[in-house]
Amino acid sequence: MIDGSSLTVEMEEENSPATAIAPREPPKIQRLEESVVNRIAAGEVIQRPVSAVKELVENSLDADSSSISVVVKDGGLKLIQVSDDGHGIRREDLPILCERHTTSKLTKYEDLFSLSSMGFRGEALASMTYVAHVTVTTITKGQIHGYRVSYRDGVMEHEPKACAAVKGTQIMVENLFYNMTARRKTLQNSADDYGKIVDLLSRMAIHHNNVSFSCRKHGAVKADVHSVMSPSRLDSIRSVYGVSVAKNLMKVEVSSCDPSGCTFDMEGFISNSNYVSKKTILVLFINDRLVECSALKRAIEIVYAATLPKASKPFVYMSINLPREHVDINIHPTKKEVSLLNQEIIIEMIQSEVEVKLRNANDTRTFQEQKVEYIQSTLTSPRSDSTVSPKLSGQKTQKVPVNKMVRTDSSDPAGRLHAFLQPKPHNLPDKVSSLSVVRSSVRQRRNPKETADLSSVQELIAGVDSCCHPGLLETVRNCTYVGMADDVFALVQYNTHLYLANVVNLSKELMYQQTLRRFAHFNAIQLSDPAPLSELILLALKEEDLDPETDKNDDLKERIAEMNTELLKEKAEMLEEYFSVYIDSNGNLSRLPVILDQYTPDMDRVPEFLLCLGNDVEWEDEKSCFQGVSAAIGNFYAMHPPLLPNPSGDGIQFYTKRGESSQEKSDLDGNVEMEDNLDKDLLSDAENAWAQREWSIQHVLFPSMRLFLKPPASMASNGTFVKVASLEKLYKIFERC
């Protein structure tokens, strides 16, 4: 009995839960690798492509930029390119540029409470290098060349390389989230992400109206956001959000100087009762920083819902300025939210002022009158057409022969609905076609002020219209670009014909006509460094000299350069007012006009342009003067071949290094490797120049020609257009074979 009971107790102890499961030891705490920490932090700072764009644009604003351009591919996942004309980055700062917590904005924690810049943590660029491939190209003032360097995981992949660069900085972020598969899969809707980027830059553009912004998709000619510097914020809103928004805005202002601590100034614009929208747009800047405030947005929506019918959604732009010590900007990883001292009081005061404005403006409301046009059109089937009458059946469209088929048509896509509609009866009054209306509106949008005020300019424009060749006009409007045949001629197709088109002549005429149409209403290209006229004109005179090594005519050239410089200084006021060519009192050229958007002329031809202004313009007669200056600008902006020979053909020999060592080697071996003797830097500059020209011809010149060019009759006989093939004739040749 004793032995049995003891055995039972022992068996129960072995089967108890306490003895079956061994106690678990606490997990060991270990330090994460720095790369893991940085990648986790990067996912928090750069949440979407728009987060990267916001950080880069704010860096450009901190660099005192006056122009910021953004190019996006696949919603920012493939490419984000932000270019500015700011002060650039010093060469010695490039090694630590993308390290975490490296910044030029502050040095100690106390600086955070008096900060005026957008960025301050030094995390954005570092975070991008951990989730993307980042390339930086920059140049500072006074340098003869820039530097390009690539970064990965916060460090440089190679030493900075010298390269050609324009003023400022260009940052390319490629393959965003390439190492974060889950994040990348959730961001596959590129249209949604691109829309967020456009919305961000639209908001930036209306507040920073002293900076020009542009945003476009990679490969697109037209920018989806294009704003220019404007002294009026309302003009900025009009250019970005449209006339329908700007005309329905009211100005609102609130300020408080309460000694107890509620000190702020607010100014902005709010929509009136005539504005109708399904979505609230609140553009809020606090101390020039774009932020979100859900409490303020909710308060404003409550006012509109109570004041206006149908709970209209408002458009609101507000800029609030507070003492910097009253704002805590360090509460959100992406800095999209801030904390304000006395926030409830500020929101209540703004809400009260908005309500007063709306009640005072709600006495009247404007309703737009709409005209309804009745069009007799019904869908018809082929069977009904054949049984209507013999006369109608005899008018059926014949089958197009094979040799008459057009392979490419830029204006008449297949399957248009017009084929299913009855033609308009002849007894109805003729009206402007919808296509003409669309073209007219496009012209007015891209050329808002085509009509000049001066009669002489109107006469010149009328002369262009009267000399227009109708056949060439039809060809230009509907031709399709095929490619470049050589340095001067491009292949274009129109209907069943193939033409060689002289792009130099076409671009020269287009630039001349655009100069007349934009007369006195130009945007401007600001040169990074003012250029002295006398030196440029003297350079042009030496280039024209057949024997540049002789010095006997140097004094004469210097006198000619001085005379032309003085002449252009006398005409500087007129050139600036009418043509946006700015020459200061010291005789320096610092500004040129924008003739076509997205196109910058070849600056190597500036000396020739200035010499042409001094020598070839008849300054005494107004009409001749305007015609001469416009012709000089047209020739300067024409798409001439670059001065460097084309490296794709025999011109490659121009880029070979010629020295004694290479000559001796060729004599010994009989064969020298061409690639080893090439001047790689010069060759790269030439390839970029020729590639940029061909891109401009295809994506800028030909689309602009279709909209604006009115080819003169002289182009029909001077070799500008040469027919090289016809589909009908080719079929005849093939039939003989």
Side-chain angles (χ1 to χ4, degrees), residues 193-299:
D193 285 290
Y194 182 69
K196 293 179 183 295
I197 294 172
V198 169
D199 180 63
L200 168 73
L201 290 173
S202 299
R203 293 166 182 261
M204 290 281 195
I206 66 174
H207 181 76
H208 299 281
N209 54 339
N210 58 337
V211 180
S212 62
F213 289 84
S214 72
C215 177
R216 62 182 175 86
K217 291 183 179 179
H218 182 264
V221 178
K222 179 187 171 186
D224 295 291
V225 177
H226 180 66
S227 69
V228 297
M229 290 184 286
S230 172
S232 169
R233 185 140 297 144
L234 192 59
D235 289 341
S236 298
I237 296 175
R238 184 180 293 108
S239 66
V240 174
Y241 286 95
V243 178
S244 60
V245 175
K247 71 180 182 180
N248 292 317
L249 296 182
M250 304 179 294
K251 190 169 185 178
V252 59
E253 293 178 333
V254 184
S255 62
S256 173
C257 299
D258 189 352
S260 61
C262 184
T263 303
F264 75 98
D265 291 307
M266 187 280 288
E267 62 176 12
F269 292 92
I270 60 174
S271 56
N272 58 23
S273 57
N274 298 316
Y275 177 80
V276 178
S277 178
K278 298 179 181 179
K279 178 183 177 183
T280 300
I281 299 178
L282 173 60
V283 183
L284 176 62
F285 283 81
I286 296 179
N287 287 358
D288 294 328
R289 185 184 301 276
L290 178 62
V291 296
E292 297 176 0
C293 182
S294 57
L296 178 60
K297 182 178 180 180
R298 191 162 51 250

Side-chain angles (χ1 to χ4, degrees), residues 16-25:
S16 64
T19 58
I21 301 176
R24 183 185 177 190
E25 296 183 1

Side-chain angles (χ1 to χ4, degrees), residues 603-663:
M603 292 302 171
D604 289 338
R605 298 187 181 274
V606 172
E608 178 187 351
F609 166 60
L610 296 174
L611 182 61
C612 183
L613 281 182
N615 286 348
D616 300 342
V617 176
E618 178 59 47
W619 297 97
E620 301 303 325
D621 180 68
E622 182 180 273
K623 182 177 178 181
S624 301
C625 172
F626 293 156
Q627 185 178 25
V629 175
S630 300
I633 293 176
N635 183 64
F636 170 41
Y637 280 75
M639 296 184 182
H640 298 278
L643 297 182
L644 290 172
N646 192 342
S648 62
D650 295 336
I652 192 67
Q653 299 177 1
F654 177 81
Y655 303 98
T656 56
K657 298 178 181 178
R658 297 175 183 176
E660 296 179 359
S661 59
S662 62
Q663 184 65 34

Side-chain angles (χ1 to χ4, degrees), residues 523-540:
N523 295 329
I525 302 172
Q526 186 72 37
L527 302 185
S528 57
D529 294 312
L533 294 183
S534 57
E535 295 181 12
L536 293 174
I537 296 174
L538 187 60
L539 181 62

Side-chain angles (χ1 to χ4, degrees), residues 352-648:
S352 300
E353 181 64 24
V354 169
E355 184 176 6
V356 171
K357 277 283 185 182
L358 284 177
R359 290 191 183 279
N360 293 337
N362 202 26
D363 296 337
T364 60
R365 186 170 183 183
T366 303
F367 294 91
Q368 300 295 330
E369 180 183 359
Q370 297 182 355
K371 295 183 179 179
V372 180
E373 296 183 2
Y374 297 94
I375 302 176
Q376 296 180 352
S377 60
T378 57
L379 291 174
T380 57
S381 64
R383 181 179 301 174
S384 63
D385 284 346
S386 61
T387 58
V388 172
S389 67
K391 186 178 292 186
L392 287 178
S393 63
Q395 295 178 353
K396 285 200 302 183
T397 304
Q398 299 294 328
K399 183 179 179 181
V400 180
V402 177
N403 64 328
K404 293 286 186 180
M405 287 184 178
V406 180
R407 299 299 189 253
T408 320
D409 193 342
S410 62
S411 64
D412 190 16
R416 296 181 72 173
L417 293 178
H418 297 79
F420 299 93
L421 301 179
Q422 290 184 351
K424 184 165 57 175
H426 296 290
N427 57 355
L428 292 180
D430 293 335
K431 295 185 178 180
V432 182
S433 67
S434 59
L435 181 60
S436 300
V437 173
V438 170
R439 284 179 174 170
S440 176
S441 65
V442 169
R443 289 193 187 95
Q444 291 176 3
R445 177 171 53 80
R446 297 186 63 180
N447 242 345
K449 304 198 176 179
E450 289 189 325
T451 305
D453 298 332
L454 299 178
S455 59
S456 56
V457 179
Q458 292 178 352
E459 291 174 6
L460 291 172
I461 295 175
V464 169
D465 295 339
S466 63
C467 293
C468 179
H469 190 287
L472 289 181
L473 180 63
E474 178 68 18
T475 301
V476 169
R477 290 285 190 268
N478 300 285
C479 71
T480 302
Y481 174 82
V482 178
M484 293 299 296
D486 59 15
D487 296 347
V488 175
F489 284 93
L491 281 171
V492 296
Q493 180 180 339
Y494 170 66
N495 286 344
T496 58
H497 308 300
L498 192 65
Y499 293 90
L500 283 174
N502 189 317
V503 295
V504 176
N505 291 352
L506 288 170
S507 60
K508 187 184 300 184
E509 182 64 27
L510 174 65
M511 302 301 179
Y512 168 73
Q513 294 182 13
Q514 283 296 92
T515 304
L516 293 178
R517 291 194 179 97
R518 291 193 172 189
F519 185 84
H521 296 98
F522 293 97
N523 295 329
I525 302 172
Q526 186 72 37
L527 302 185
S528 57
D529 294 312
L533 294 183
S534 57
E535 295 181 12
L536 293 174
I537 296 174
L538 187 60
L539 181 62
L541 291 170
K542 290 181 178 179
E543 288 178 353
E544 288 186 349
D545 198 342
L546 297 177
D547 189 9
E549 295 183 358
T550 60
D551 299 333
K552 60 182 181 180
N553 293 328
D554 285 352
D555 293 339
L556 177 60
K557 294 174 186 173
E558 291 178 359
R559 274 186 304 210
I560 294 175
E562 291 176 2
M563 291 173 59
N564 284 335
T565 300
E566 292 301 322
L567 174 63
L568 295 179
K569 286 169 63 177
E570 292 177 5
K571 308 299 181 181
E573 185 177 357
M574 184 272 288
L575 289 173
E576 180 188 8
E577 181 179 359
Y578 293 149
F579 299 100
S580 194
V581 177
Y582 179 69
I583 299 171
D584 61 24
S585 57
N586 296 323
N588 296 320
L589 176 69
S590 60
R591 198 180 302 149
L592 291 169
V594 174
I595 306 300
L596 289 179
D597 293 339
Q598 308 294 330
Y599 175 67
T600 303
D602 186 357
M603 292 302 171
D604 289 338
R605 298 187 181 274
V606 172
E608 178 187 351
F609 166 60
L610 296 174
L611 182 61
C612 183
L613 281 182
N615 286 348
D616 300 342
V617 176
E618 178 59 47
W619 297 97
E620 301 303 325
D621 180 68
E622 182 180 273
K623 182 177 178 181
S624 301
C625 172
F626 293 156
Q627 185 178 25
V629 175
S630 300
I633 293 176
N635 183 64
F636 170 41
Y637 280 75
M639 296 184 182
H640 298 278
L643 297 182
L644 290 172
N646 192 342
S648 62

Side-chain angles (χ1 to χ4, degrees), residues 136-156:
V136 178
T137 304
T138 185
I139 186 173
T140 56
K141 186 176 181 181
Q143 287 185 329
I144 60 175
H145 60 77
Y147 293 95
R148 180 178 291 119
V149 61
S150 299
Y151 294 88
R152 186 166 185 173
D153 293 343
V155 297
M156 296 191 302

Side-chain angles (χ1 to χ4, degrees), residues 331-366:
I331 66 170
H332 195 276
T334 62
K335 304 186 289 289
K336 72 176 184 178
E337 295 179 1
V338 296
S339 177
L340 308 180
L341 186 65
N342 300 317
Q343 177 172 306
E344 294 80 7
I345 300 175
I346 293 174
I347 291 177
E348 184 179 354
M349 294 180 67
I350 293 175
Q351 184 184 32
S352 300
E353 181 64 24
V354 169
E355 184 176 6
V356 171
K357 277 283 185 182
L358 284 177
R359 290 191 183 279
N360 293 337
N362 202 26
D363 296 337
T364 60
R365 186 170 183 183
T366 303

